[in-house]
């Protein structure tokens, strides 16, 4: 984590629980168009989403943590490519709960259930 994140951002890291790390890595890599690096520490396997100096997060093998309904809603960046991200998500097994729609002055989002069963949102300031 960068110092900037620790001092200013309200979210500094996130874990997305998964049951199949290979499937989830392929899903998030394609949907978010970014690289994901697999790692392990002890018996814990995880995959870190490329985040540069921004807020980071990872996919972590914890099937018992996957919430089927409700819970916090994580917005992931699909800036300038939200329709492509929605199509890739659908192609890779996501269930689209709400297709691309405006969220007032805050841009656009897609609500979906990912390939692992987690409810997430994809966000973009443009409808492209």
């Amino acid at each position: 984590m960068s110092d900037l994140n620790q001092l200013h951002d309200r979210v500094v890291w996130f874990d997305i629980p998964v049951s199949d790390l290979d499937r989830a890595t392929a899903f998030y890599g394609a949907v978010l168009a970014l690289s994901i690096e697999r790692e392990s520490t002890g018996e814990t396997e995880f995959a870190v989403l490329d985040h540069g100096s921004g807020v980071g997060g990872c996919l972590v093998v914890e099937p018992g943590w996957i919430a089927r309904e409700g819970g916090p809603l994580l917005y992931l960046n699909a800036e300038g490519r939200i329709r492509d991200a929605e199509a890739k998500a659908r192609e890779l097994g996501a269930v689209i709960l709400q297709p691309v729609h405006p969220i007032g002055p805050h841009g656009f989002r897609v609500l979906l259930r990912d390939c692992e069963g987690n409810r997430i949102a994809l966000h973009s300031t443009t409808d492209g």
Side-chain angles (χ1 to χ4, degrees):
M1 284 177 249
S2 73
D3 289 340
L4 179 65
N5 290 347
Q6 293 172 337
L7 296 174
H8 302 290
D9 291 343
R10 297 300 152 235
V11 175
V12 297
W13 188 262
F14 58 86
D15 289 343
I16 298 174
V18 305
S19 57
D20 184 322
L21 193 56
D22 290 329
R23 178 180 60 207
T25 298
F27 178 88
Y28 281 97
V31 170
L32 299 177
L34 53 77
S35 64
I36 300 176
E37 187 172 325
R38 290 187 62 154
E39 297 183 25
S40 65
T41 179
E43 294 182 19
T44 304
E45 288 185 84
F46 57 99
V48 178
L49 284 69
D50 182 33
H51 57 279
S53 63
V55 174
C58 69
L59 309 172
V60 62
V61 179
E62 289 289 354
W65 292 359
I66 298 170
R68 296 292 177 210
E69 300 296 327
L73 181 60
L74 181 66
Y75 282 66
L76 298 175
N77 189 350
E79 186 60 41
R81 49 176 301 282
I82 196 164
R83 295 200 179 267
D84 177 58
E86 177 184 23
K88 289 224 184 289
R90 183 180 286 113
E91 178 183 308
L92 292 166
V95 174
I96 306 301
L97 302 173
Q98 292 181 351
V100 173
H101 61 279
I103 51 174
H106 307 290
F108 299 84
R109 76 174 183 182
V110 174
L111 285 178
L112 60 91
R113 192 158 317 283
D114 74 5
C115 63
E116 300 298 302
N118 295 297
R119 185 179 65 117
I120 63 167
L122 302 175
H123 177 265
S124 177
T125 58
T126 64
D127 185 16

